[in-house]
Amino acid sequence: MKILALDLATTTGWAYNQPNINGGIWKLKPKNGSSDGMKLIKLRSFLQDFIDTCGGIDLVVYEKPAGRFINGVISVAELVSVVKLFCEDKGIQYTSYRPTEIKKISTGKGNSNKAVMLAEAKRRWPMINIIDDNMADAMLMLDVAINDLNA
């Protein structure tokens, strides 16, 4: 099963499992003078380009919006809506994980910070240049999804 994992944010981390686990980041920040809606258009464009390049996706997994800061939660919720609509339009399955769930399964602690998550991803995949915590989170989420499917 071809799985794309997304850690949705202005800098979105992504990870993919075909033919081997790989990942990266997509920068969604709009240019100065552009509307905030450009971030949503950029995400949709990245998703379409990704499908065109890789030949398809069977499942998209993403992190549920969470946090103390309402503006951040709203921003991620908007990105989630783009992912859901895109998947519905393309007939792609999708599901989500709570941040604490990913952290608990990946590190044993549901409140692990960014540095711990990044270190864990680098430990698991030393041959991959893990750019930042966004990519690390996506890779660890992909691993959770793969293990869920194999359970």
Side-chain angles (χ1 to χ4, degrees), residues 77-134:
E78 289 173 340
L79 295 171
V80 166
S81 68
V82 170
V83 170
K84 286 181 172 183
L85 184 59
F86 184 86
C87 289
E88 289 291 342
D89 284 346
K90 302 294 181 184
I92 300 168
Q93 295 177 6
Y94 57 90
T95 192
S96 60
Y97 292 97
R98 292 183 321 276
T100 54
E101 188 177 7
I102 299 162
K103 292 174 182 185
K104 174 84 172 169
I105 293 168
S106 299
T107 68
K109 289 180 67 179
N111 64 348
S112 295
N113 65 27
K114 293 175 189 262
V116 170
M117 295 292 281
L118 182 58
E120 179 60 22
K122 287 183 176 184
R123 185 190 67 77
R124 291 187 190 193
W125 299 285
M127 64 295 207
I128 296 174
N129 178 24
I130 299 175
I131 298 166
D132 66 8
D133 60 281
N134 301 298

Side-chain angles (χ1 to χ4, degrees), residues 12-106:
T12 290
W14 64 269
Y16 186 62
N17 68 329
Q18 296 289 328
N20 300 306
I21 291 179
N22 197 2
I25 58 170
W26 294 331
K27 295 184 183 251
L28 304 179
K29 184 174 182 175
K31 293 180 180 176
N32 286 343
S34 296
S35 74
D36 283 343
M38 285 306 296
K39 176 171 51 176
L40 309 178
I41 292 168
K42 285 176 102 172
L43 176 59
R44 185 182 64 202
S45 178
F46 278 125
L47 288 168
Q48 186 62 56
D49 289 347
F50 191 87
I51 284 180
D52 292 345
T53 301
C54 76
I57 298 169
D58 300 309
L59 175 66
V60 173
V61 296
Y62 60 89
E63 192 175 88
K64 290 181 180 178
R68 297 179 297 216
F69 304 107
I70 191 68
N71 288 340
V73 172
I74 290 169
S75 179
V76 173
E78 289 173 340
L79 295 171
V80 166
S81 68
V82 170
V83 170
K84 286 181 172 183
L85 184 59
F86 184 86
C87 289
E88 289 291 342
D89 284 346
K90 302 294 181 184
I92 300 168
Q93 295 177 6
Y94 57 90
T95 192
S96 60
Y97 292 97
R98 292 183 321 276
T100 54
E101 188 177 7
I102 299 162
K103 292 174 182 185
K104 174 84 172 169
I105 293 168
S106 299

